[in-house]
Amino acid sequence: MINLRSDTVSKPTDIMRRAMAHAEVGDDYYREDPTVIALEEKAAELFGKEAAIFVFSATMSNVVSVLSHTRRGQSVILEELSHIYNNEAGFLSAFGGLTPRTVKGEKGRITPDQVEAAVFPTAVLHPQTSLLCLENTHNHAGGTCLSLDQTRALSDTARSHGMKVHLDGARIFNSSMAQGVSVRELTADADSVTVCLTKGLGCPVGAICLGSGDFVEEARRWRQAVGGGMRQAGVIAAAGIVALDTMVDRLAEDHANARLLAARLAEAGLELDCPPEEVETNIIFATIPSGLMDAEAFVEGWAREGVSVNPPKDRRIRLITHHNISADDIEAAGAAARRVLGR
Ligand SMILES: *Cc1c(COP(=O)(O)O)cnc(C)c1O
């Protein structure tokens, strides 16, 4: 099966599995798991942040970050298609008592002027705006990158209003690779950062949450509150260390494969959200034109040919490349698409 549903379907590598089997462990509640500590220290060093905490998922990292930066009754500015706003089961209101203020970005990118306009005045009438959430790369916009300059300008605007900045960098390594800018620089202006280990990096479970020492202490308390405390978590943290050591540089291959896939699907008659050469990272969106074929029928036909994608929404499908997909797989998927479409 050529599985293009998400990069979360990527499997742990043999090196990860060996590292997991042999990991030194202890009870992380007592801060006695040397492998968890090693992963947290390694990540903090790599990102140039004071501290890091290992959590179960990028969602959990976003939850503990937002709860650490805000108080009930306040408001948070986010891009309208952001993962936090759309795909994290409403934790902003459910756990945080927060009012989301959404802003519509261009390919996921919002501007300082939009942030400026979304900040509530300080009058007692309004929920105080205390946090700006950014997403890099932006999932629903098609893996688009936020540049260093954009991140800095947005953060400066947020700071000028006394707000904190949280960066949902679930795929920050993809952004770093695509732009040739280090993750340290790309995250320098954020008070906290989420990094997912289970997307392109291939781990079976886990994410890292980074920030100042005080922030991480607060995040550790919230992690406990949402049931995220861990014991001998070195077994899974070991995969994270291998991911940082061996899975980052190869992301360039996923980006090249995404571009190749976009080109092959365009040749087959699908409409891409952006031309193949403008695909920024490992995510593409394609629409099956109504004149070509019924979109559900195309997806079902493609599945029978061994290519798996999620059901279309408004005839549009998302495809994501990852380390278990080779250039040969992309060519095979392209040929299968043409067969299904009879072209
Ligand atoms: C996948 C994703 C998350 C959540 O990751 P999980 O580890 O699955 O919880 C958060 N933010 C973005 C931008 C994502 O793409």
Side-chain angles (χ1 to χ4, degrees):
M1 206 72 185
I2 298 171
N3 196 335
L4 300 169
R5 280 179 297 165
S6 176
D7 42 9
T8 57
V9 303
S10 59
K11 305 262 171 73
T13 63
D14 289 340
I15 318 175
M16 282 182 193
R17 288 170 185 269
R18 275 199 297 278
M20 292 171 78
H22 299 290
E24 257 189 79
V25 296
D27 189 337
D28 183 54
Y29 171 78
Y30 295 106
R31 303 295 290 141
E32 284 175 1
D33 189 302
T35 309
V36 170
I37 291 169
L39 172 61
E40 291 170 345
E41 285 178 352
K42 187 181 182 73
E45 168 76 29
L46 184 62
F47 282 79
K49 296 289 184 198
E50 256 174 46
I53 177 170
F54 183 49
V55 292
F56 280 106
S57 65
T59 299
M60 185 178 279
S61 177
N62 289 335
V63 170
V64 301
S65 296
V66 171
L67 295 180
S68 297
H69 289 311
T70 58
R71 284 205 327 268
R72 300 183 72 80
Q74 296 183 330
S75 62
V76 176
I77 300 175
L78 320 96
E79 203 279 327
E80 143 184 305
L81 296 177
S82 64
H83 198 278
I84 293 179
Y85 182 62
N86 290 278
N87 303 96
E88 303 192 356
F91 84 80
L92 291 172
S93 52
F95 299 163
L98 295 161
T99 299
R101 270 285 248 193
T102 59
V103 167
K104 188 176 165 51
E106 173 69 30
K107 290 190 169 185
R109 293 179 271 253
I110 60 174
T111 65
D113 285 348
Q114 287 178 299
V115 171
E116 196 79 53
V119 177
F120 278 108
T122 52
V124 291
L125 292 167
H126 306 292
Q128 196 188 319
T129 314
S130 56
L131 181 67
L132 169 66
C133 292
L134 301 174
E135 188 170 313
N136 191 7
T137 65
H138 195 296
N139 182 338
H140 292 292
T144 50
C145 301
L146 217 49
S147 74
L148 195 52
D149 287 347
Q150 287 162 335
T151 309
R152 181 156 302 152
L154 289 162
S155 303
D156 286 349
T157 302
R159 287 243 156 69
S160 73
H161 290 280
M163 296 157 63
K164 299 275 196 218
V165 178
H166 171 66
L167 174 59
D168 179 357
R171 294 189 182 81
I172 193 68
F173 284 111
N174 294 87
S175 183
S176 161
M177 180 59 60
Q179 301 187 81
V181 180
S182 70
V183 290
R184 174 186 286 256
E185 290 171 279
L186 280 178
T187 63
D189 292 296
D191 296 288
S192 55
V193 184
T194 288
V195 182
C196 193
L197 295 169
T198 67
K199 303 268 167 82
L201 299 190
C203 290
V205 58
I208 298 168
C209 180
L210 301 114
S212 70
D214 286 348
F215 163 79
V216 166
E217 218 174 285
E218 188 67 13
R220 194 174 293 284
R221 185 171 292 279
W222 280 116
R223 186 186 70 168
Q224 182 68 18
V226 296
M230 301 193 216
R231 302 300 183 190
Q232 288 73 29
V235 170
I236 48 177
I241 294 174
V242 173
L244 295 181
D245 283 338
T246 67
M247 300 298 282
V248 172
D249 290 344
R250 62 151 309 287
L251 291 173
E253 211 178 298
D254 297 343
H255 300 177
N257 282 338
R259 242 165 277 140
L260 181 63
L261 180 61
R264 292 296 178 261
L265 294 182
E267 287 160 20
L270 269 57
E271 285 167 5
L272 279 296
D273 270 23
C274 72
E277 64 277 11
E278 287 175 26
V279 170
E280 296 183 34
T281 56
N282 68 331
I283 303 177
I284 66 173
F285 281 93
T287 300
I288 300 101
S290 51
L292 197 62
M293 190 176 184
D294 176 71
E296 265 94 21
F298 171 74
V299 166
E300 284 159 24
W302 218 12
R304 277 193 296 276
E305 294 270 353
V307 182
S308 178
V309 297
N310 284 328
K313 289 190 190 115
D314 297 330
R315 315 187 62 81
R316 191 162 163 264
I317 50 176
R318 186 190 70 174
L319 306 111
I320 308 194
T321 57
H322 51 83
H323 78 93
N324 297 130
I325 300 292
S326 66
D328 285 349
D329 291 331
I330 299 294
E331 295 293 1
R338 280 198 304 278
R339 280 197 298 279
V340 173
L341 296 164
R343 291 164 73 94

